[in-house]
């Protein structure tokens, strides 16, 4: 029975001290809230940095792919290559001067 009376007295003393020093309690709560806000802000900042690094990595990969595609396009559209393919696959050739026909539109 003495234990429950001691607990009750302790709680009563704690409540009376808290109500007597309201400003200290409010400041303590403000400090705890501020600490939690800093923790959440730091976590959010780290998550954003991770996402940024991933996007930068993806940008670099896309940039390399784009450069390779530009090089491939230049190689495929090179005039000499197209002319050789036309002669080989389609059996086309440049007409001789005698075979040329000039069409004039009036």
């Amino acid at each position: 029975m003495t234990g429950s009376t001691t607990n009750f007295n302790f709680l009563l003393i704690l409540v009376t001290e808290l109500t007597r020093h309201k400003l200290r309690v409010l400041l303590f709560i403000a400090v705890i809230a501020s600490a939690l806000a800093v923790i959440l802000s730091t976590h959010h900042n780290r998550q954003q940095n991770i996402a940024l690094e991933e996007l930068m990595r993806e940008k670099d990969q896309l940039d390399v792919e784009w450069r390779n595609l530009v090089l491939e396009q230049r190689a495929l559209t090179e005039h000499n290559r197209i002319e050789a393919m036309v002669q080989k696959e389609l059996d086309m050739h440049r007409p001789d001067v005698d075979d040329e026909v000039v069409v004039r539109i009036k």
Side-chain angles (χ1 to χ4, degrees), residues 1 3 12 40 50 54 60 70 83 87-89:
M1 187 107 157
L12 184 62
L40 289 175
I50 290 170
E54 189 173 320
D60 290 341
V70 167
E83 190 173 336
Q87 287 176 356
K88 179 181 175 186
E89 294 179 14

Side-chain angles (χ1 to χ4, degrees), residues 1-100:
M1 187 107 157
T2 310
S4 65
T5 308
T6 308
N7 286 341
F8 181 72
N9 287 339
F10 175 71
L11 289 176
L12 184 62
I13 293 170
L14 184 63
V15 169
T16 55
E17 287 297 317
L18 289 177
T19 55
R20 203 154 102 211
H21 303 289
K22 292 177 184 173
L23 182 61
R24 288 183 185 172
V25 171
L26 288 175
L27 288 175
F28 178 74
I29 291 172
V31 166
I32 297 299
S34 174
L36 289 174
V38 167
I39 291 169
L40 289 175
S41 174
T42 303
H43 176 70
H44 181 70
N45 189 22
R46 286 183 182 161
Q47 295 298 321
Q48 292 298 318
N49 281 336
I50 290 170
L52 176 65
E53 287 176 8
E54 189 173 320
L55 288 173
M56 293 298 284
R57 205 174 310 119
E58 183 179 350
K59 177 196 162 280
D60 290 341
Q61 289 174 348
L62 289 173
D63 191 38
V64 167
E65 183 179 350
W66 179 77
R67 288 179 186 173
N68 289 336
L69 289 173
V70 167
L71 289 174
E72 184 179 350
Q73 180 186 20
R74 286 182 184 164
L76 291 174
T77 59
E78 191 172 304
H79 182 70
N80 294 338
R81 181 179 182 281
I82 293 174
E83 190 173 336
M85 286 179 66
V86 164
Q87 287 176 356
K88 179 181 175 186
E89 294 179 14
L90 301 176
D91 196 28
M92 296 177 80
H93 60 282
R94 263 192 196 279
D96 294 329
V97 177
D98 298 334
D99 295 334
E100 287 184 8

